[in-house]
Structure formats: structure tokens, C-alpha cells
């Protein structure tokens, strides 16, 4: 008996079981006929035709299998590049940034200089001042560790709008404009920190304006001393201020040096500050600002 197998011809492929079944039918018909030569001849002819007939019949039930092509993954293995470290970036020199050191009263940049860098204070302090056409100078900000300045170049300013002067031995990170733009676009952690700083500084400017318009010289002086001591900023406030002259304080709050001297002596008598060359701030100074 012919076993189960695949048979192939010009028409295609078919099952051996189907062919054997048809052969059995033909042989049954042959046994019922006289075993004459003519009958054998007819059987031979039918057996010769059976192969092609079965092939053509089986083609209608043949399922053509399409080759399955596996998609190869083109994903490249992660190189495991180190995560961006904001603190490391701001504490060290590198591509597009350098560390600069300035002595007390040394100019970092002057009003009218080309604006091409953003500065970050690592140590010390910086005073920002502006001078009008008549030569009158005003202090617009006193900055300390963790503060940025010179960011006007990012907003399209071609020249510096103020003069930056170190008020003590100061170390700053000088970041080139293009490098600053690259990091702001590419490193979300850094851009989040910078945006948060600029928003806080904008609020500070608004508060300064309200303070200048509605508060007395005494209250403005107390608030300025607390801000210089970094009250309200993250971390512990510094009890001892950098060397700040009464002239500078007068320029910051918009009054005269004699008025500043009067209020400083008053604060010292009340125990709000200790003033012997250096200014020591006590928490009780807050009562001057909070008092209506």
C-alpha cells in the first residue's frame, strides 16, 4: 500500500492519501469487470490520468504559504552616557565655560561692554550698578553665591546694561552665550533650575518696586538687610553680611547716608543687628518689616 506522502507534478503538490483513495476506487471497478486485455488497458489509461487529475483537483485546496520575514531590531544598544550633573556643571570649568576670580572692588564687566556671557557666582558677592547721563549711580542688586547675572545676552541685549563689581574676593563661572543656550535646550534639569531662579528674581524686582513706592526708609533698610542675609532663600540665612558700606545701602534703598546711619544705630540699640565693621543680623529684625 502506498504510504502518506507528497507528490509533485507540473500542476503543483497534492496529498498521497487522496491519490491512494482514487486508486482504490479504480481497482474496485477493475475487479468487477472481466480481466480482459481491454479492461486492463482502460485501467492503465485511467491510472496514467489519475496523477494529473488529482493534482488539478487538489490545487483548489492547497494553501500557499508565504515566507515569514522576521523584522530585525535596528535599535542600538544604549551607550550608558552619564547623567547630566547640574552641580558639577556649575562648579567646574569645561567646554564653553571658565572660572574667573576677582578681588574686592574689581570690575567683572562694565556698563556698555559687549554682552556675550552669563555669569554664575560660586563664592563671594557682586554689586550691580547703573549710571545715568549725569553720572548719578544707583545700586540695582547685590548678588551672592548661587546667583546668575549677565543673562541679558540671552534676551538679545548686545551690551551690558549695568556694571558688575565684586564686593569681596569672588569666584564666578563664566558661561559663553552659545554654551548656555545649548545647555538650556538640551538639559531639562538645568533649564528648570535657571527658569525657577529667573522667576524668583522677577518676583524680587516686583517686591522691590512695591517696597520703594509704599514703605518708609526704615522698613526698606530692614528688608534690604534681611535680603542680603538671604532670609527666605533656600538653606540657612547667613548671620554675617559681606562688607557693605552705608553709602551702598543708601543707594539701594533710595535715601541718604545720614538716614541710613540713623536707622543702623537705632537697629543696633534695639538688638536687631550688631554693627562693628561687619553686620550681624538677628531674627528680631523681621519685626520691623512685619510691623504695620
Amino acid at each position: 500500500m502506498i504510504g502518506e506522502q507528497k507528490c509533485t507534478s507540473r500542476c503543483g503538490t497534492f496529498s498521497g492519501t487522496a491519490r491512494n483513495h482514487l486508486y482504490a476506487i479504480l481497482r474496485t471497478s477493475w475487479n468487477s469487470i472481466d480481466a480482459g486485455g481491454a479492461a486492463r488497458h482502460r485501467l492503465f489509461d485511467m491510472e496514467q490520468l489519475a496523477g494529473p487529475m488529482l493534482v488539478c483537483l487538489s490545487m483548489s485546496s492547497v494553501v500557499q504559504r508565504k515566507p515569514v520575514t522576521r523584522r530585525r531590531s535596528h535599535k542600538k544598544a544604549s551607550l550608558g552616557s552619564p547623567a547630566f550633573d547640574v552641580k558639577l556643571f556649575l562648579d567646574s570649568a569645561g567646554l564653553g565655560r571658565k572660572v574667573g576670580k576677582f578681588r574686592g572692588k574689581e570690575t567683572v564687566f562694565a556698563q556698555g561692554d559687549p554682552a556675550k556671557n552669563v555669569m554664575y557666582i560660586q563664592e563671594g558677592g557682586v554689586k550691580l550698578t547703573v549710571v545715568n547721563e549725569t553720572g548719578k549711580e544707583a545700586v540695582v542688586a547685590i548678588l551672592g553665591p548661587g546667583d546668575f547675572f549677565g543673562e541679558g545676552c540671552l534676551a538679545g541685549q548686545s551690551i551690558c546694561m549695568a556694571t558688575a563689581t565684586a564686593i569681596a574676593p569672588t569666584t564666578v563661572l563664566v558661561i559663553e552665550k552659545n554654551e548656555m543656550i545649548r545647555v538650556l535646550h538640551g538639559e531639562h534639569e538645568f533649564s528648570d533650575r535657571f527658569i525657577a531662579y529667573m522667576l524668583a528674581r522677577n518676583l524680587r524686582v516686583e517686591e522691590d518696586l512695591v517696597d520703594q513706592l509704599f514703605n518708609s526708609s526704615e522698613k526698606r533698610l530692614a528688608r534690604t538687610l534681611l535680603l542680603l542675609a538671604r532670609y527666605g532663600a533656600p538653606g540657612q540665612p547667613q548671620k554675617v553680611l559681606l562688607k557693605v558700606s552705608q553709602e551702598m545701602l543708601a543707594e539701594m534703598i533710595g535715601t541718604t547716608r545720614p538716614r541710613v546711619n540713623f536707622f543702623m544705630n537705632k537697629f543696633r540699640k534695639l538688638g536687631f543687628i550688631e554693627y562693628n565693621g561687619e553686620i550681624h543680623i538677628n531674627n528680631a529684625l523681621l519685626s520691623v518689616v512685619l510691623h504695620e
Side-chain angles (χ1 to χ4, degrees):
M1 183 175 178
I2 300 175
E4 179 94 20
Q5 63 179 347
K6 294 263 184 170
C7 298
T8 306
S9 74
R10 291 172 300 174
C11 296
T13 304
F14 61 93
S15 171
T17 302
R19 179 169 182 163
N20 291 341
H21 181 67
L22 184 57
Y23 281 173
I25 296 174
L26 293 174
R27 287 192 179 95
T28 302
S29 302
W30 172 70
N31 289 332
S32 62
I33 305 176
D34 182 38
R40 289 182 179 273
H41 181 70
R42 285 193 301 272
L43 177 61
F44 176 79
D45 290 342
M46 292 182 70
E47 286 184 342
Q48 291 296 321
L49 294 173
M53 288 172 59
L54 283 172
V55 170
C56 296
L57 290 172
S58 62
M59 283 299 293
S60 61
S61 61
V62 170
V63 178
Q64 295 182 354
R65 294 183 179 180
K66 295 182 179 180
V68 178
T69 304
R70 293 184 179 180
R71 295 183 179 179
R72 296 182 179 180
S73 176
H74 295 286
K75 294 182 179 179
K76 296 182 179 179
S78 175
L79 298 179
S81 56
F84 182 80
D85 189 330
V86 176
K87 186 176 185 304
L88 179 62
F89 179 86
L90 293 174
D91 288 347
S92 60
L95 183 64
R97 65 189 194 278
K98 61 182 179 181
V99 175
K101 294 184 179 293
F102 301 89
R103 301 183 302 274
K105 298 184 179 181
E106 185 177 357
T107 299
V108 180
F109 57 76
Q111 185 175 335
D113 286 351
K116 53 184 179 180
N117 299 312
V118 178
M119 314 283 189
Y120 173 79
I121 302 176
Q122 296 177 344
E123 296 178 355
V126 171
K127 172 181 68 172
L128 298 181
T129 60
V130 294
V131 180
N132 64 9
E133 295 178 352
T134 62
K136 185 177 181 180
E137 184 180 75
V139 177
V140 295
I142 299 291
L143 306 176
D147 289 335
F148 293 91
F149 62 102
E151 68 282 348
C153 65
L154 302 176
Q157 290 182 358
S158 58
I159 60 173
C160 299
M161 305 303 293
T163 297
T165 307
I167 59 177
T170 301
T171 303
V172 302
L173 180 68
V174 183
I175 309 171
E176 295 178 2
K177 176 182 176 180
N178 290 337
E179 174 64 7
M180 189 69 176
I181 293 174
R182 183 196 68 80
V183 177
L184 287 174
H185 281 272
E187 304 298 342
H188 296 298
E189 185 179 355
F190 180 83
S191 61
D192 288 346
R193 174 170 175 172
F194 184 75
I195 291 172
Y197 170 80
M198 295 308 301
L199 290 173
R201 186 163 164 184
N202 185 63
L203 291 175
R204 162 81 180 275
V205 171
E206 293 179 0
E207 292 168 355
D208 288 346
L209 180 59
V210 172
D211 187 46
Q212 191 71 28
L213 292 173
F214 298 108
N215 292 333
S216 65
S217 299
E218 181 181 9
K219 185 174 290 189
R220 295 202 304 271
L221 177 59
R223 177 176 176 271
T224 298
L225 291 172
L226 290 169
L227 289 174
L228 291 175
R230 308 187 78 79
Y231 273 82
Q236 294 295 325
Q238 56 189 49
K239 298 293 185 179
V240 181
L241 300 185
L242 295 172
K243 188 176 181 180
V244 181
S245 66
Q246 290 189 4
E247 290 84 356
M248 187 185 302
L249 291 172
E251 292 173 354
M252 292 180 68
I253 67 173
T255 189
T256 63
R257 181 188 177 281
R259 291 292 289 171
V260 170
N261 183 60
F262 172 80
F263 292 125
M264 292 291 283
N265 289 329
K266 178 181 178 181
F267 294 160
R268 180 168 54 184
K269 290 177 181 179
L270 293 172
F272 296 158
I273 65 172
E274 297 175 18
Y275 186 38
N276 293 312
E278 292 181 335
I279 303 176
H280 296 253
I281 305 297
N282 297 324
N283 294 338
L285 186 60
L286 283 169
S287 63
V288 179
V289 178
L290 299 176
H291 178 70
E292 294 295 338

